[in-house]
Amino acid sequence: MITFWFFNLIDAYMHLKYGERKGELLKNHPDILVEIGAGYGANFRYLKPGTRVKVIEPNTGFHEVLKRRAKKYGLHVEVYEGKAEEMKLSDYSTEMVLSSLVLCSVKNLPKVLSEIKRILKPGGKFVYIEHVRGHKHSWICKVQKIVKNSWKWLFDGCNVTRDTGRIIQVSGFSKVTQQAFSQRTILIPIIPHIAGVAVK
């Protein structure tokens, strides 16, 4: 119960920081979608009650939290243990895939994007909000390079110098609409962000 309360508290903070953008990205979501790296279920509050969510979450410690939060928001959740590089889902099986502050930590981003395209139906959408590498001449980028190794160790493999936006743009989607923005935070390495929609 304490753990559930703790994640609700974190959720309130994340909603304050990202809620408006997430709500906009997900306002017309389909009745069934896939989320990779759902963690404790931070995005559940933006989904319509009755939505069926197939979650790819390698950390089994989150699985019970996800089920309880899904119940709170009236969602039907299916939790799949495993990595986003090898999703146990069929080809062309979903209209939407969602990621939120996840792609910094996957080991093989091109492979993950390939898997996303594999499971998306033709015309399906990959929607995402991610923190990214700063502009190469910016002071933030210099800070990111300095703290890169220690940051990865402290934050479960998070790579603050990954150029996620560019990698998505060249990964073979038919159309990518992407916006860069800065998210105010005391954690300087994760100030630069992107939000976007990539269409198969």
Side-chain angles (χ1 to χ4, degrees):
M1 190 65 69
I2 294 176
T3 301
F4 197 44
W5 172 86
F6 175 71
F7 285 120
N8 279 335
L9 185 64
I10 292 176
D11 187 52
Y13 175 79
M14 297 300 283
H15 178 59
L16 178 67
K17 291 291 184 180
Y18 298 97
E20 187 174 346
R21 289 182 187 275
K22 288 183 177 182
E24 185 65 25
L25 279 175
L26 291 167
K27 66 180 180 181
N28 295 316
H29 71 78
D31 293 334
I32 302 173
L33 58 85
V34 173
E35 181 172 7
I36 59 174
Y40 64 87
N43 297 312
F44 286 179
R45 65 159 69 220
Y46 309 107
L47 304 179
K48 296 174 291 190
T51 300
R52 182 180 169 197
V53 190
K54 298 180 181 182
V55 170
I56 311 298
E57 177 49 62
N59 187 339
T60 57
F62 284 129
H63 289 188
E64 284 305 313
V65 176
L66 284 166
K67 291 173 184 176
R68 280 187 282 174
R69 286 182 61 82
K71 185 176 181 180
K72 174 182 177 180
Y73 291 107
L75 308 176
H76 306 290
V77 68
E78 298 174 18
V79 183
Y80 294 80
E81 184 181 350
K83 298 180 180 179
E85 287 90 344
E86 296 178 357
M87 289 188 264
K88 299 171 184 177
L89 298 172
S90 301
D91 297 356
Y92 318 117
S93 59
T94 187
E95 295 177 12
M96 180 175 283
V97 177
L98 165 66
S99 82
S100 174
L101 307 178
V102 170
L103 300 183
C104 58
S105 299
V106 299
K107 289 187 177 179
N108 188 333
L109 180 52
K111 176 62 175 170
V112 171
L113 295 172
S114 177
E115 279 288 276
I116 290 171
K117 287 186 294 178
R118 179 184 67 78
I119 67 172
L120 278 173
K121 296 178 180 180
K125 296 178 179 179
F126 170 44
V127 298
Y128 54 92
I129 292 181
E130 301 287 342
H131 72 79
V132 295
R133 187 182 76 183
H135 187 278
K136 63 181 180 180
H137 298 304
S138 69
W139 66 271
I140 289 178
C141 186
K142 292 176 182 176
V143 172
Q144 288 173 329
K145 289 178 180 178
I146 292 170
V147 304
K148 176 182 176 179
N149 292 334
S150 57
W151 194 273
K152 215 179 241 193
W153 181 78
L154 286 169
F155 295 99
D156 197 24
C158 174
N159 184 350
V160 291
T161 61
R162 180 169 283 167
D163 195 357
T164 301
R166 183 193 63 79
I167 296 171
I168 292 173
Q169 287 174 329
V170 301
S171 62
F173 288 95
S174 65
K175 181 181 179 182
V176 177
T177 304
Q178 188 168 272
Q179 180 183 17
F181 67 97
S182 294
Q183 180 60 63
R184 279 189 247 170
T185 172
I186 60 172
L187 301 174
I188 292 172
I190 59 170
I191 287 177
H193 283 67
I194 54 171
V197 178
V199 181
K200 181 172 176 178

